[in-house]
C-alpha cells in the first residue's frame, strides 16, 4: 500500500473486510431458508481464481488499482499482498495497516520529508518507528524484510525486530537515526538468518560496543553488508572472519576506518563480490605484511564479477591505477567522496565504456565531464555534487560540462547537477539531446542566478525541459526564474510527480500554474520563494491527491493555513517553528499531508497542527 494511491474509505474500518457473500445473497430475493448456500460456492471459486491471479501482480500501482474494483477484490488483494509500502508513516495508523494487510512479509516505510536532510527541520520532529514495530510484532510473526527511510529507530526497536521475528532476513535503514552500536550488536547476534544489513547515510551512535564481533559463529547467510555511514572504528579482525565465512556475500561497503591494505585482505577472501565500497582507499600499517605492500592490482583482477564500485574516502590518488582491471566491466561508479581532478579521473573513466550510473564531485571540472561524455555512451544516470556548497563559492562545473554530457550521453535518463553558472542554451540542448530524461535536477547554488551569458532568467531552459522531455516525472528548478517558467511547467508537466523549487518565482501566479496544471503531482517542495496564501489556496482541488506539500521561508500566514485546514479536514496541516521560537502569524515551515487518521499524538512542542 502506498499512501499515493490509498483512497478515503466511506465505510468505517470495522466493516472494511466483510465478505460480499451475505450482501449478494440477500440481493437475490431467494425464498430459500439458507440463501448464502446458493452464492457461497461460486463466490468462493471466483475468489480462489482471483487470489491466484493477483499473485502475479507485483507493481504497487497495479495492486492499488485492483483493490478499487469492488469489495471482493479489495479483500482478496489485501490477503495476497506480501510486500507493503507506506510513503508517509503518519498517513495511516499501524493498526489500520496491519488489520487490512495480514500476510505481509516485506515492509517499506518512510518518515520525515526530504528537506530534513538539509537541516530544515528541527530535531525530534517525529517519525518514530516504535509504534510500527510493536504493531508488526503482533500481526506479522513471519516478517522477513524491513526497509526504513528517514525514520527514528531506537535500540529497543532493533531488539524487537531481532527477537520476535524468527525468520527475519533483511534490514535496510536509509537516513535513519536514534540507534547505536549496542542496538546493532543485539540485532546481528539474534538474527541468525540475516541476509541483508544495509546502513545507508544513517546516523549511528558510537556506544563503544564491538558490534561486528556479535554476528553468530558458523557460516553466515549474508548477501549484502553496507556500513559505510558508521563513523566509529570497527573490529577489523572480526570483520575479516565474518567476510571469510559468508560465501554468498555479493555487496560490501566499508566505512572510512578500513584502509586499502585491510581492503585487500577482505577482497582475497571474497572474490565473488559484485558491489564494493572501498573504505578510505588510503595507506595504513598492515599487520603481517612487513614493508612490502600487497598486490592490490591482482586482488581487483580476481574480482571478475565486480560491476559496482564506490567509497574512495580520503583517497590517495597514487592508488587509483589499482582499479583499472575492473573498469571495463563497471556499470556503476561512485566518486562522490573522492576529491579528484580531471587528470586523475581521465585514465579511469576512459576504460568505463559500460558505465550506466556515475556520481562524482565537481572537482573534476568541466574538463572531467567532457571526458565522461567522450567515453560513457551508455550512461543513464549522472550526479555531480559540490565540494563547496556555499552560495558564493566558485563552482568549477558549468554550462560547458552540462552541454558536453548532453551531446555525448544521449541515453541519459536522470541527472542531478550542482553548479554556479548556467545558460539557457545548455539546458535547451540537453532537452533536445536527451529526450528520455525522467529526472532533471539542476541546482544553481547562488540565489537568483540568471543565464551568466545573456543575463536573462532561466525560464526558457526549464521550459524546454518540460516541453521536450515527455517522460519527465521529477524536476528540481533553481536560478533566476519568473512566473513564466512555472507557466511552462503547468502547461507541459503533465506526468510530473515530484517538483522541488528553491529561490524562484515572482508572484502567487507561479504556484497557481503548477497546482492547476500538473494533475499527477504527488510531492511538492518549496523553499525561499514568494508564494503566499492565495497561491496555497489555489490547490484545494488537488491536495487530497498529493502525498505532501512542504513550504519553508515563503510568504504564508497562519490565517491562510487555517483556511486550508478548515476546508480539508482529512489533510494534516502542520506548522513547524524552531524549538525556541514562539508561534506568530508568519509561518516559517508548512508541512501538509493527507491521512486516514486523526492528527498524530506525538507532535513536539514546536509543531502546531491546525
Amino acid at each position: 500500500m502506498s499512501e499515493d494511491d490509498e483512497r478515503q474509505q466511506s465505510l468505517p474500518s470495522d466493516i472494511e473486510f466483510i465478505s460480499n457473500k451475505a450482501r449478494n445473497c440477500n440481493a437475490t430475493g431467494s425464498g430459500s431458508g439458507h440463501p448464502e448456500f446458493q452464492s457461497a460456492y461460486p463466490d468462493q471459486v471466483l475468489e480462489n481464481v482471483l487470489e491466484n491471479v493477483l499473485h502475479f501482480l507485483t507493481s504497487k500501482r497495479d495492486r492499488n488499482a485492483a483493490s478499487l474494483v469492488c469489495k471482493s477484490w479489495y479483500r482478496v488483494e489485501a490477503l495476497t499482498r506480501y510486500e507493503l509500502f507506506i510513503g508517509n508513516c503518519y498517513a495511516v495508523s499501524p493498526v489500520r495497516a496491519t488489520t487490512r494487510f495480514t500476510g505481509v512479509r516485506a515492509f517499506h516505510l518512510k518518515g520525515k520529508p526530504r528537506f530534513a536532510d538539509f537541516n530544515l527541520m528541527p530535531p525530534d520532529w517525529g517519525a518514530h518507528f516504535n509504534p510500527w514495530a510493536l504493531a508488526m510484532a503482533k500481526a506479522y510473526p513471519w516478517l522477513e524484510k524491513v526497509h526504513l527511510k528517514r525514520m527514528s529507530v531506537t535500540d529497543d526497536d532493533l531488539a524487537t525486530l531481532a527477537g520476535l521475528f524468527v525468520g527475519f532476513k533483511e534490514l535496510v535503514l536509509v537516513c535513519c537515526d536514534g540507534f547505536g552500536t549496542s542496538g546493532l550488536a543485539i540485532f546481528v547476534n539474534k538474527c541468525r538468518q540475516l541476509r541483508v544489513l544495509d546502513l545507508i547515510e544513517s546516523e549511528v551512535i558510537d556506544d563503544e560496543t564491538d558490534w561486528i564481533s556479535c554476528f553468530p559463529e558458523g557460516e553466515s547467510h549474508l548477501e549484502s553488508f553496507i556500513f559505510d555511514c558508521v563513523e566509529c572504528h570497527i573490529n577489523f579482525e572480526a570483520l575479516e572472519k565474518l567476510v571469510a565465512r559468508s560465501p554468498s556475500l555479493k555487496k560490501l561497503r566499508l566505512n572510512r576506518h578500513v584502509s586499502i591494505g585491510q581492503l585487500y585482505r577482505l577482497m582475497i577472501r571474497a572474490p565473488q563480490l559484485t558491489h564494493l565500497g572501498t573504505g578510505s582507499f588510503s595507506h595504513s600499517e598492515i599487520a603481517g605484511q612487513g614493508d612490502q605492500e600487497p598486490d592490490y592490482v591482482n586482488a581487483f583482477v580476481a574480482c571478475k564479477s565486480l560491476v559496482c564500485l564506490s567509497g574512495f574516502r580520503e583517497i590517495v590518488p597514487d592508488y587509483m591505477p589499482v582499479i583499472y582491471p575492473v573498469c571495463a566491466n563497471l556499470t556503476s561508479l561512485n566518486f562522490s567522496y573522492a576529491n579528484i581532478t580531471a587528470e586523475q579521473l581521465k585514465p579511469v573513466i576512459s576504460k568505463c565504456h559500460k558505465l550506466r550510473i556515475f556520481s562524482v564531485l565537481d572537482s573534476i571540472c568541466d574538463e572531467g565531464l567532457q571526458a565522461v561524455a567522450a567515453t560513457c555512451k551508455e550512461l543513464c544516470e549522472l550526479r555531480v555534487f559540490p565540494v563547496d556548497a556555499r552560495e558564493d563559492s566558485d563552482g568549477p562545473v558549468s554550462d560547458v560540462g552540462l552541454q558536453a554530457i548532453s551531446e555525448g550521453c544521449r541515453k541519459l535518463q536522470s541527472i542531478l547537477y550542482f553548479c554556479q553558472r548556467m545558460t539557457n542554451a545548455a539546458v535547451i540542448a540537453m532537452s533536445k539531446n536527451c529526450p528520455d530524461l525522467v529526472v532533471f535536477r539542476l541546482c544553481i547554488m547562488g540565489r537568483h542566478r540568471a543565464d551568466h551569458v545573456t543575463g536573462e532568467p532561466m525560464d526558457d531552459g526549464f521550459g524546454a525541459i518540460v516541453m521536450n522531455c515527455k517522460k519527465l516525472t521529477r524536476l528540481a528548478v533553481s536560478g533566476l526564474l519568473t512566473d513564466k517558467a512555472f507557466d511552462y511547467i503547468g502547461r507541459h508537466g503533465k506526468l510530473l510527480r515530484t517538483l522541488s523549487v528553491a529561490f524562484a518565482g515572482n508572484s502567487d501566479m507561479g504556484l497557481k500554474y503548477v497546482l492547476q496544471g500538473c494533475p499527477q503531482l504527488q510531492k511538492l517542495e518549496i523553499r525561499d520563494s514568494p508564494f503566499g496564501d492565495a497561491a496555497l489556496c489555489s490547490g484545494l482541488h488537488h491536495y487530497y491527491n498529493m502525498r505532501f506539500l512542504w513550504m519553508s521561508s515563503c510568504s504564508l500566514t497562519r490565517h491562510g493555513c487555517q483556511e486550508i485546514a478548515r476546508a480539508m479536514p482529512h489533510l494534516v496541516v502542520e506548522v513547524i517553528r524552531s524549538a525556541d521560537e514562539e508561534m506568530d502569524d508568519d509561518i516559517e515551515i508548512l508541512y501538509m499531508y493527507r491521512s486516514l487518521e486523526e492528527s498524530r499524538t506525538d507532535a513536539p512542542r514546536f509543531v502546531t497542527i491546525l
Side-chain angles (χ1 to χ4, degrees):
M1 179 184 73
S2 169
E3 87 288 357
D4 281 349
D5 304 285
E6 177 74 8
R7 305 295 178 86
Q8 298 291 336
Q9 301 297 326
S10 58
L11 298 175
S13 60
D14 57 345
I15 59 172
E16 281 180 350
F17 310 118
I18 291 177
S19 170
N20 281 334
K21 293 179 184 177
R23 185 179 298 109
N24 292 339
C25 294
N26 293 335
T28 64
S30 169
S32 168
H34 301 282
E36 68 274 12
F37 294 153
Q38 297 183 4
S39 63
Y41 179 74
D43 273 5
Q44 188 62 53
V45 171
L46 175 61
E47 291 196 4
N48 288 342
V49 173
L50 180 59
E51 183 174 343
N52 289 326
V53 171
L54 288 178
H55 277 300
F56 293 97
L57 275 186
T58 57
S59 165
K60 294 190 295 288
R61 290 190 193 177
D62 290 344
R63 280 191 158 271
N64 290 334
S67 71
L68 297 175
V69 172
C70 64
K71 296 295 285 185
S72 179
W73 283 54
Y74 177 84
R75 180 179 61 256
V76 175
E77 190 283 319
L79 292 173
T80 58
R81 191 180 294 216
Y82 300 134
E83 184 165 359
L84 180 60
F85 171 82
I86 299 175
N88 180 352
C89 64
Y90 291 120
V92 62
S93 71
V95 172
R96 183 190 292 262
T98 54
T99 300
R100 177 180 171 187
F101 301 101
T102 57
V104 171
R105 293 177 181 266
F107 184 75
H108 303 252
L109 182 64
K110 292 185 177 182
K112 302 171 188 174
R114 191 181 67 93
F115 273 9
D117 295 346
F118 303 96
N119 297 320
L120 294 178
M121 176 174 280
D124 304 320
W125 171 80
H128 302 292
F129 178 56
N130 183 256
W132 290 93
L134 296 178
M136 290 190 298
K138 297 177 181 178
Y140 305 143
W142 46 81
L143 190 71
E144 296 179 353
K145 303 177 182 179
V146 169
H147 290 211
L148 305 177
K149 188 170 186 179
R150 300 191 186 95
M151 295 291 296
S152 180
V153 183
T154 67
D155 291 342
D156 288 341
D157 296 334
L158 295 179
T160 298
L161 291 179
L164 298 181
F165 304 110
V166 293
F168 197 81
K169 298 175 182 177
E170 184 171 320
L171 178 64
V172 178
L173 302 179
V174 181
C175 299
C176 294
D177 58 24
F179 63 98
T181 52
S182 57
L184 290 174
I186 296 172
F187 177 79
V188 301
N189 181 256
K190 292 185 177 181
C191 290
R192 296 187 174 272
Q193 298 186 47
L194 192 64
R195 294 180 182 176
V196 176
L197 178 58
D198 291 350
L199 309 175
I200 303 171
E201 297 183 33
S202 294
E203 296 181 14
V204 182
I205 302 169
D206 182 6
D207 298 324
E208 299 183 353
T209 301
D210 179 10
W211 64 284
I212 297 286
S213 65
C214 292
F215 279 88
E217 294 294 331
E219 184 171 294
S220 166
H221 300 285
L222 272 181
E223 298 172 6
S224 177
F225 187 28
I226 296 175
F227 63 96
D228 53 347
C229 65
V230 179
E231 290 295 328
C232 55
H233 286 273
I234 52 102
N235 182 336
F236 178 75
E237 286 70 25
L239 176 63
E240 187 175 20
K241 292 178 182 177
L242 176 63
V243 170
R245 64 178 190 270
S246 302
S248 301
L249 190 64
K250 299 294 184 182
K251 299 180 181 180
L252 178 65
R253 280 164 48 181
L254 309 165
N255 71 0
R256 65 185 181 89
H257 295 290
V258 178
S259 70
I260 190 171
Q262 293 171 325
L263 172 68
Y264 168 82
R265 289 166 56 178
L266 296 175
M267 291 179 69
I268 61 176
R269 286 160 175 78
Q272 76 277 6
L273 289 173
T274 60
H275 295 62
L276 176 63
T278 65
S280 70
F281 221 65
S282 59
H283 179 72
S284 70
E285 291 296 325
I286 308 300
Q289 296 292 336
D291 296 329
Q292 183 178 357
E293 280 203 281
D295 189 347
Y296 303 123
V297 173
N298 278 340
F300 277 94
V301 169
C303 292
K304 300 184 184 300
S305 301
L306 204 59
V307 294
C308 178
L309 203 52
S310 62
F312 305 102
R313 298 165 186 258
E314 304 172 13
I315 186 171
V316 174
D318 291 345
Y319 288 119
M320 291 280 284
V322 306
I323 70 171
Y324 290 173
V326 300
C327 288
N329 289 327
L330 290 181
T331 58
S332 177
L333 179 60
N334 190 336
F335 277 151
S336 61
Y337 290 100
N339 194 345
I340 58 175
T341 66
E343 292 304 316
Q344 293 162 347
L345 172 70
K346 287 179 182 179
V348 174
I349 209 67
S350 63
K351 299 172 175 61
C352 298
H353 294 280
K354 295 182 181 179
L355 204 63
R356 296 175 60 84
I357 302 173
F358 184 46
S359 299
V360 70
L361 291 175
D362 61 8
S363 57
I364 65 168
C365 304
D366 290 328
E367 183 183 355
L369 292 174
Q370 290 168 335
V372 173
T375 302
C376 305
K377 302 303 179 182
E378 301 299 315
L379 196 68
C380 296
E381 180 177 339
L382 173 67
R383 297 188 177 198
V384 181
F385 296 98
V387 173
D388 185 352
R390 292 177 302 175
E391 293 182 21
D392 57 351
S393 64
D394 294 326
V397 298
S398 68
D399 54 293
V400 175
L402 187 74
Q403 180 138 357
I405 290 294
S406 74
E407 293 172 354
C409 306
R410 303 284 179 122
K411 297 182 180 180
L412 199 67
Q413 298 176 14
S414 175
I415 184 169
L416 169 62
Y417 196 88
F418 284 86
C419 65
Q420 290 284 10
R421 302 182 309 282
M422 186 50 59
T423 64
N424 281 302
V427 180
I428 292 171
M430 173 150 283
S431 75
K432 294 178 179 178
N433 294 330
C434 304
D436 291 331
L437 275 174
V438 177
V439 176
F440 184 77
R441 300 160 69 191
L442 177 58
C443 302
I444 305 172
M445 292 180 288
R447 301 191 185 199
H448 312 298
R449 293 282 176 91
D451 181 317
H452 79 94
V453 173
T454 67
E456 295 294 318
M458 292 295 300
D459 298 338
D460 292 338
F462 285 104
I465 290 291
V466 293
M467 282 189 280
N468 297 328
C469 302
K470 305 297 185 182
K471 302 175 183 178
L472 195 73
T473 62
R474 184 173 184 180
L475 176 66
V477 300
S478 54
L480 180 61
L481 294 176
T482 71
D483 292 341
K484 180 182 177 182
F486 295 97
D487 185 24
Y488 283 133
I489 294 171
R491 284 192 284 123
H492 301 284
K494 300 307 179 183
L495 297 182
L496 206 62
R497 294 176 62 84
T498 303
L499 176 63
S500 302
V501 179
F503 310 106
N506 52 12
S507 78
D508 284 342
M509 283 306 301
L511 184 54
K512 289 182 180 180
Y513 289 138
V514 170
L515 290 172
Q516 295 174 1
C518 299
Q520 301 296 319
L521 195 63
Q522 291 286 306
K523 295 182 280 189
L524 180 55
E525 306 166 332
I526 305 172
R527 60 167 298 188
D528 296 274
S529 297
F531 309 131
D533 295 344
L536 184 66
C537 290
S538 68
L540 283 171
H541 67 289
H542 188 56
Y543 290 141
Y544 277 151
N545 297 323
M546 293 177 62
R547 185 185 298 181
F548 71 80
L549 166 66
W550 169 284
M551 297 180 70
S552 61
S553 301
C554 295
S555 299
L556 301 175
T557 68
R558 183 184 179 91
H559 174 75
C561 296
Q562 285 176 328
E563 287 296 314
I564 298 294
R566 278 193 288 266
M568 309 191 76
H570 295 291
L571 195 72
V572 178
V573 181
E574 291 195 9
V575 174
I576 306 172
R577 59 192 184 277
S578 300
D580 56 352
E581 181 183 346
E582 295 298 325
M583 188 71 180
D584 58 22
D585 191 55
D586 294 327
I587 301 301
E588 177 60 25
I589 297 175
L590 171 69
Y591 180 44
M592 299 195 316
Y593 53 91
R594 66 162 182 252
S595 177
L596 298 177
E597 313 299 336
E598 299 294 332
S599 300
R600 63 188 178 110
T601 58
D602 63 349
R605 187 184 62 84
F606 53 80
V607 172
T608 301
I609 299 179
L610 302 179

